[in-house]
Amino acid sequence: MTRLVALALSLALLASAAQAGEVLADGPLLSRAGDYPVGVRVLTLTNPGQPDLMASDLMAGTIARRDRVLPVTVWYPAAKPAADAAKAEYRRPGPTPAAPDVPYKTGAAYADAKPVRGQHFPLVVLSHGYRNWATSFSDLAENLASKGYVVASIEHRDLEPSALPVPQLSFATVLITRVADQRFVLDALQKQAGEGPLKDVYDPANAALVGYSMGGFGALTTMGAGLDPQGPLYGLVPHALLKPFTTLDPSFAAGAPKGVKALVAFAPWGGSPPLRAWSAQGLAAVTTPSLLIVGDQDDVSGYDQGVSWLYAGLTRADRYLLTYENARHNIALNGVTPEQANDFQAIERHEEPVWRRDRILAINSHFLTAFLDAKLKGDAAHGAYLAAPTQKASDGAWPLAQGASVGGQFAGPDDKTTAGYWPGFQRRWALGLQLRHDTASTQNQ
């Protein structure tokens, strides 16, 4: 058996284990799925009159507008499904707007299952990165939904640049749609909480916004970090189409979503030169408790002058920075399917050269559960798993006699014998991670 065939089989086994809801043996404690079966359905939301660069005459300064149709995939706690209930078949957009969606993965959720009503679960809105898609975060979304969250992932339908006569219009469109899409979807879901197929399922006033890469760029801006009108990014988009997302527009700050109590940004783009999107003043406008997650070798969003710079600038937000040592940019997606195991281009877009995908997803689920449970559910016990005793996981200490073993025991937040070790991790297994925490500054408030 060749190594490549073995890799393909290994990935297939890991995927099937995740879909069956099995516990990852070396995953941190809070990564384990919750007790709820998970349902999934697609809502279609339409934002009227949005700029359409493809139909515009940019030379003449004529900006066309059209209604922007946004499919939103929603995972939610469901009633116990029937024995013959079908699992969801996830699809990704085709290579062009006219091409049909492509099936790529069977999920663990049940399509159109009956939701659990009346408990008003917290709402999590998820925004993907450039040229990703809504269900490329299905593993994380299913995990959160099983724990009592309603997770709504926006299908932004980014234009494939290779299919355009002017490829640059693809990225320019992303810049003018991410924030508008996020603010519109949050507003629409909050207004629809008392109607439709998800009536009385989620609490519109108790929400979180999660973004990856360009979704993280959008999330920071959505929550108040107005783009710098003097910065290098502003001039990339013609005819002041970014102006509504800057402090030049007096309605921008007033339009920040209400009821969003937590912000999570995976590898958010926009902090690194030469296209730095915000000024320090813009970042300081964000007051939402925030968790940023990044690899210290991120060669897309940048680390020292990228995400770390963003983190330092969020001075008025209580904030955490979780760093994967030796990871690049692909720290949030599901990963490749077994069919893509021999496709390096797919691996390069969705996998990490050092980290195991199943372990990244487990660590993400662990920390998001701790953070969201603390901020949206008031769960101080789970919030205690954010209190790492050392910034670098490798500096943690869990003394043990020579030859002794604790097996699969997890370090506990209130366990004196494991007080020097990262809570929620097994001995010797908290490695390759860093966690910073800074409280909000009261200056200039």
Side-chain angles (χ1 to χ4, degrees):
M1 181 183 294
T2 68
R3 291 184 178 181
L4 288 176
V5 172
L7 174 62
L9 290 174
S10 176
L11 287 170
L13 289 172
L14 289 173
S16 63
Q19 291 166 6
E22 295 179 7
V23 173
L24 181 65
D26 64 348
L29 183 62
L30 299 186
S31 67
R32 302 181 176 196
D35 295 331
Y36 288 103
V38 177
V40 60
R41 65 175 61 236
V42 178
L43 305 178
T44 300
L45 304 176
T46 302
N47 193 8
Q50 298 305 296
D52 181 2
L53 295 185
M54 292 301 298
S56 298
D57 186 343
L58 298 179
M59 295 297 293
T62 303
I63 305 300
R65 292 186 175 267
R66 65 177 176 86
D67 292 350
R68 184 164 167 81
V69 178
L70 296 169
V72 179
T73 302
V74 186
W75 292 266
Y76 50 88
K80 184 177 180 180
D84 60 348
K87 296 289 182 68
E89 292 288 341
Y90 295 134
R91 307 175 73 87
R92 58 178 173 81
T96 65
D101 290 351
V102 179
Y104 80 99
K105 179 178 180 179
T106 300
Y110 296 92
D112 299 321
K114 182 180 179 181
V116 174
R117 300 188 192 276
Q119 295 196 31
H120 303 287
F121 300 106
L123 172 67
V124 178
V125 172
L126 200 156
S127 178
H128 63 70
Y130 181 43
R131 296 168 61 214
N132 303 143
W133 58 92
T135 58
S136 56
F137 298 87
S138 62
D139 289 347
L140 176 63
E142 289 174 349
N143 182 278
L144 290 175
S146 76
K147 297 169 178 173
Y149 288 91
V150 172
V151 184
S153 185
I154 307 168
E155 187 64 78
H156 294 286
R157 291 195 178 275
D158 298 331
L159 300 172
E160 177 58 44
S162 62
L164 303 180
V166 182
Q168 293 84 350
L169 291 180
S170 171
F171 192 68
T173 297
V174 173
L175 292 174
I176 64 174
T177 57
R178 272 303 186 275
V179 180
D181 287 354
Q182 290 176 9
R183 286 194 168 189
F184 169 73
V185 169
L186 276 162
D187 182 65
L189 291 177
Q190 289 172 333
K191 289 177 178 176
Q192 294 179 14
E195 60 188 53
L198 295 176
K199 178 181 179 180
D200 297 331
V201 176
Y202 59 89
D203 181 355
N206 192 24
L209 178 58
V210 179
Y212 167 58
S213 194
M214 289 306 297
F217 159 84
L220 289 168
T221 310
T222 290
M223 295 314 301
L227 301 178
D228 182 2
Q230 306 301 319
L233 183 71
Y234 186 79
L236 284 186
V237 178
H239 307 297
L241 287 173
L242 287 182
K243 183 178 178 180
F245 315 121
T246 70
T247 52
L248 294 175
D249 189 326
S251 66
F252 172 76
K258 305 298 187 292
V260 178
K261 300 177 180 178
L263 168 65
V264 179
F266 289 99
W269 185 87
S272 184
L275 294 177
R276 182 166 280 171
W278 303 279
S279 66
Q281 180 183 4
L283 290 173
V286 177
T287 59
T288 308
S290 301
L291 168 63
L292 276 59
I293 304 176
V294 66
D296 68 2
Q297 300 299 314
D298 191 317
D299 52 352
V300 175
S301 295
Y303 185 65
D304 289 332
Q305 291 300 310
V307 178
S308 288
W309 180 84
L310 291 175
Y311 174 82
L314 297 174
T315 54
R316 295 178 61 207
D318 186 88
R319 62 204 186 276
Y320 294 85
L321 176 66
L322 175 66
T323 300
Y324 286 93
E325 296 175 355
N326 295 312
R328 290 200 182 275
H329 188 65
N330 302 332
I331 56 165
L333 303 169
N334 287 350
V336 299
T337 63
E339 292 76 18
Q340 296 172 315
N342 295 333
D343 182 349
F344 179 75
Q345 286 187 314
I347 291 170
E348 188 179 31
R349 281 195 64 192
H350 299 287
E351 298 290 350
E352 281 295 320
V354 173
W355 282 82
R356 280 170 30 207
R357 174 58 38 180
D358 60 340
R359 184 149 172 80
I360 285 178
L361 292 174
I363 292 170
N364 288 344
S365 295
H366 171 82
F367 280 103
L368 260 71
T369 299
F371 182 68
L372 297 179
D373 281 2
K375 303 306 179 186
L376 302 186
K377 296 183 178 181
D379 188 337
H382 279 183
Y385 285 89
L386 296 169
T390 61
Q391 181 172 320
K392 294 187 66 172
S394 59
D395 291 337
W398 186 340
L400 204 62
Q402 182 72 27
S405 172
V406 294
Q409 178 185 339
F410 295 94
D414 301 318
D415 186 343
K416 293 182 179 180
T417 64
T418 66
Y421 208 72
W422 277 30
F425 284 78
Q426 293 148 317
R427 190 176 183 274
R428 301 180 64 243
W429 238 242
L431 197 65
L433 297 166
Q434 298 180 31
L435 183 65
R436 285 185 57 187
H437 176 223
D438 287 275
T439 56
S441 169
T442 59
Q443 294 181 0
N444 301 319
Q445 289 192 10

